[in-house]
Amino acid sequence: MNPVFDTLIENLRQINIICQETPKSFKGDRKQTGDKREITIQDFIKQYFPPSFVVKKGKIFSNDFTSNEIDSVILTPNHPMLKTPMREIIIAEGVYAAIEIKPDISTLTENSEFERGLKQIKSVRQITRKYQGTNDSNFIKIPSILFSIKSNKKPIEVVKFMKLVQLKNGWTQDLLPNLIVTLDNGVFHWLEKGSRITEILKSFYNIKENDEIIHYKTKSVDTLVVFLSYLMAQILHPEFDLRNNHLFNYLTPSPEWEISIETFTINMTDEELQNMTDEELQIIIKAHKK
């Protein structure tokens, strides 16, 4: 008996219902259909994380680059409540993982949902984060996942199409999703050289040095187990530290900031200062201004 596994079975039923083919009358209402599917996956993810982790939709900002709008962005508990009267801001260093939802990636053509999903993920993977004391790719780059209900293709066709999109656009491999999750076709996991997760996988599987992708041959609920296991593995990373204040990287003075300083030295005792009038004090300050 495994109550957590059984929750996956029940949650999978809801995902399958929401992501079924849209009836003819509502095919033109793509926004509501898409929004509901995104919310369903967001709600699913929330069930398996502590409430201190927030899941929301939005663009991811850094000092150097801004991603496209991503369907589900998981924020670490120490991500600040960064708001203005105009918008909410997600900063890259406070992102735990990014998940783009494309229910059907079975079409392997130019400008298909699959290719658009890869481009969405690429916009996230272009961001380089600034962390002190680590070169692990799982920290420098944001862990990113393309989540799909339907693939309906042979695994080798999926892999070839991903490679074709990569080569056609001149992308490096680190701009591709870490995972592509398909409920009908298992999980495709790109192996990043030097990452901690890749090294762990090598201890479990017969992975050769030149291997680029692992395909987990899972179905439905077992696919969700692999998906969540990958997400949870980030928390177990020894360098995952919730004490970091992610705003420090953004609040370091830079040339475009209009900030200047001045210093003062006042060589008087506390008693002398207390007995002076405000006018006399200002004269002293001006005289000692450096």
Side-chain angles (χ1 to χ4, degrees):
M1 187 171 68
N2 186 331
V4 175
F5 188 84
D6 288 344
T7 66
L8 291 174
I9 294 172
E10 292 192 343
N11 282 322
L12 180 60
R13 292 172 188 162
Q14 182 184 12
I15 292 173
N16 283 329
I17 291 171
I18 296 297
C19 293
Q20 285 177 353
E21 186 174 354
T22 306
K24 290 182 180 179
S25 299
F26 306 126
K27 283 189 180 291
D29 188 15
R30 297 182 66 181
K31 186 178 187 310
Q32 283 201 86
T33 301
D35 288 349
K36 185 59 180 176
R37 286 172 175 170
E38 291 166 10
I39 291 169
T40 299
I41 303 302
Q42 282 185 10
D43 288 344
F44 167 74
I45 295 167
K46 289 176 185 177
Q47 307 309 313
Y48 299 92
F49 275 82
S52 53
F53 285 78
V54 174
V55 184
K56 61 170 59 177
K57 180 175 182 173
K59 296 185 177 185
I60 302 169
F61 292 82
S62 75
N63 275 329
D64 307 315
F65 192 78
T66 302
S67 77
N68 297 339
E69 188 170 67
I70 303 301
D71 294 327
S72 295
V73 183
I74 306 175
L75 307 184
T76 57
N78 55 339
H79 187 289
M81 293 277 293
L82 202 56
K83 295 182 180 181
T84 77
M86 300 292 291
R87 70 194 85 253
E88 293 185 24
I89 304 297
I90 297 172
I91 56 172
E93 284 76 9
V95 173
Y96 183 79
I99 302 160
E100 181 67 13
I101 301 160
K102 295 292 181 190
D104 186 343
I105 60 169
S106 59
T107 302
L108 307 182
T109 60
E110 190 172 8
N111 294 323
S112 63
E113 283 293 282
F114 195 176
E115 182 169 2
R116 285 198 289 271
L118 292 174
K119 288 180 177 179
Q120 286 287 95
I121 293 295
K122 180 247 186 184
S123 77
V124 177
R125 299 289 290 171
Q126 280 182 279
I127 295 172
T128 299
R129 300 193 282 189
K130 297 176 176 64
Y131 284 114
Q132 293 185 347
T134 180
N135 291 316
D136 193 310
S137 59
N138 276 40
F139 280 82
I140 304 302
K141 298 289 186 180
I142 296 171
S144 303
I145 299 168
L146 183 60
F147 189 99
S148 177
I149 309 303
K150 179 183 178 184
S151 167
N152 197 29
K153 297 292 182 184
K154 293 179 180 178
I156 189 62
E157 292 180 272
V158 176
V159 171
K160 282 182 177 179
F161 183 74
M162 287 190 288
K163 200 68 180 176
L164 180 65
V165 172
Q166 178 194 350
L167 295 174
K168 180 185 73 172
N169 291 285
W171 299 348
T172 53
Q173 183 174 314
D174 64 353
L175 298 179
L176 293 168
N178 298 91
L179 291 190
I180 294 181
V181 177
T182 63
L183 292 185
D184 68 340
N185 203 10
V187 178
F188 298 86
H189 183 179
W190 284 91
L191 297 170
E192 291 188 275
K193 294 187 184 300
S195 81
R196 177 176 172 271
I197 289 181
T198 298
E199 295 306 311
I200 291 173
L201 289 171
K202 283 181 179 180
S203 66
F204 285 96
Y205 302 104
N206 183 25
I207 298 173
K208 302 180 183 65
E209 190 63 32
N210 293 327
D211 288 342
E212 292 182 276
I213 300 172
I214 293 178
H215 176 230
Y216 299 92
K217 301 176 183 178
T218 54
K219 293 288 184 182
S220 299
V221 68
D222 292 327
T223 298
L224 293 180
V225 171
V226 175
F227 168 57
L228 290 174
S229 296
Y230 176 83
L231 285 178
M232 299 303 167
Q234 310 302 320
I235 296 178
L236 298 176
H237 195 294
E239 293 175 15
F240 182 75
D241 189 352
L242 292 178
R243 293 170 297 179
N244 289 329
N245 187 322
H246 300 307
L247 289 183
F248 285 157
N249 290 327
Y250 296 84
L251 298 179
T252 302
S254 59
E256 65 265 25
W257 287 25
E258 295 182 1
I259 297 178
S260 60
I261 65 168
E262 55 184 0
T263 61
F264 303 96
T265 303
I266 302 176
N267 296 316
M268 300 186 73
T269 65
D270 289 344
E271 185 178 352
E272 287 175 318
L273 283 172
Q274 289 173 5
N275 292 330
M276 293 187 71
T277 66
D278 290 342
E279 188 175 289
E280 290 172 326
L281 185 57
Q282 288 302 317
I283 293 172
I284 295 295
I285 288 175
K286 287 177 183 178
H288 289 80
K289 194 172 178 181
K290 289 184 178 179

